[in-house]
Amino acid sequence: MQLKGKTAIVTGSGRGLGKAIALKLAQMGANIVLNDISGSEDIDATAEEFKALGYNVVVTKGDVRNPDDVENMVKTAIEAFGRIDILVNNAGITRDALLIRMTEKDWDDVLDINLKGAFLCTKAVAKVMIKQRSGKIINIASVSGVMGNAGQANYSASKAGLIGLTKSTARELASRGITCNAVAPGFIQSKMTEVLPEKLKEEYLNSIPLKRFGTPEDVANVVGFLASPDSDYVTGQVIHIDGGLVM
């Protein structure tokens, strides 16, 4: 229960990786603020599931691209639990296409949610953490932001930008007792990856030294470490969770 009494906000936590991260932090004792876009039914089901397990949880629905929605998320967290100790910027989308076929809207949507959203959430939460003189900010990047990926110019750019944001945030907030790190998952099993052609999945698998795909829990475990006191002397780092894909 390393996080007992702490409060964690996890964006995009209605399902998938965000849900797995929120569950891990709840298991470690944290109060959880679930966040997902308005209209999401997943987040309500996730909240009920967490409550049934005895975890302290509140739900905030809103778009991380919208400053008012982000401020409301922070306000809800403070009203419910009195403080914010951990922010996990997980909300993200993909709009894959080859560069010459990618629309301007596909570019803007991915950069706005994946990068601008993280900026807005970090800015809002940092104000609280600075007053507390403590906090952990964890950004969910991707190996695509490190090595690039054909058909993902927008996604790769957003995740590379998130890594830059991580390092700048770490430098700016270190003197206030706040750390900021990123994790860069590789090929993680999800609903999105399940629909890929078997031949493509086999090609991915052959490029991974550990010869298996990652799970949401693999990522959540590292996020749990970065959110805990065990990582107090770690900041500005990007931890790859990819089975050795990028070395």
Side-chain angles (χ1 to χ4, degrees):
M1 301 293 284
Q2 287 179 297
L3 301 181
K4 186 173 178 59
K6 304 291 188 181
T7 298
I9 296 175
V10 184
T11 66
S13 47
R15 61 187 175 91
L17 182 56
K19 178 181 178 181
I21 290 169
L23 179 60
K24 177 65 178 181
L25 299 181
Q27 290 169 342
M28 294 174 70
N31 304 314
I32 302 297
V33 181
L34 297 172
N35 162 267
D36 219 319
I37 196 159
S38 298
S40 170
E41 297 178 358
D42 294 318
I43 195 168
D44 293 323
T46 295
E48 291 305 314
E49 182 181 330
F50 279 32
K51 289 175 182 177
L53 292 169
Y55 301 134
N56 296 323
V57 58
V58 294
V59 170
T60 63
K61 296 183 181 180
D63 193 329
V64 293
R65 295 173 292 186
N66 186 317
D68 290 338
D69 287 353
V70 171
E71 290 295 339
N72 181 64
M73 177 180 71
V74 171
K75 181 181 177 182
T76 298
I78 294 297
E79 288 178 349
F81 303 119
R83 57 187 296 119
I84 300 172
D85 302 281
I86 301 152
L87 167 66
V88 182
N89 283 310
N90 169 74
I93 63 168
T94 57
R95 294 288 185 271
D96 296 350
L98 292 176
L99 181 65
I100 59 174
R101 296 175 183 168
M102 186 174 291
T103 67
E104 188 175 343
K105 186 177 188 306
D106 286 342
W107 175 273
D108 289 344
D109 285 348
V110 171
L111 268 291
D112 277 355
I113 292 176
N114 297 9
L115 186 53
K116 180 184 176 182
F119 158 69
L120 290 174
C121 292
T122 299
K123 181 179 179 181
V125 167
K127 295 174 183 177
V128 177
M129 292 181 173
I130 286 171
K131 291 179 181 178
Q132 296 172 175
R133 299 196 69 81
S134 66
K136 306 269 190 173
I137 299 169
I138 303 156
N139 295 324
I140 308 302
S142 169
V143 295
S144 295
V146 178
M147 59 185 287
N149 196 25
Q152 287 194 318
N154 50 3
Y155 185 76
S156 297
S158 72
K159 295 302 185 179
L162 191 56
I163 290 171
L165 176 63
T166 298
K167 293 178 179 294
S168 293
T169 301
R171 288 188 181 276
E172 287 191 23
L173 300 182
S175 64
R176 306 303 181 97
I178 301 165
T179 64
C180 183
N181 294 285
V183 298
F187 194 106
I188 305 298
Q189 294 173 345
S190 66
K191 289 183 179 179
M192 190 166 59
T193 57
E194 284 175 3
V195 300
L196 293 174
E198 288 301 319
K199 184 177 180 181
L200 182 59
K201 286 194 280 190
E202 186 176 336
E203 290 176 1
Y204 275 123
L205 191 62
N206 288 334
S207 66
I208 301 172
L210 284 182
K211 299 303 178 188
R212 74 170 178 88
F213 299 133
T215 67
E217 288 70 30
D218 287 325
V219 180
N221 288 337
V222 178
V223 173
F225 161 72
L226 291 174
S228 77
D230 290 341
S231 68
D232 281 353
Y233 200 56
V234 179
T235 196
Q237 303 305 305
V238 182
I239 301 177
H240 293 209
I241 310 170
D242 59 9
L245 180 63
V246 176
M247 293 191 187

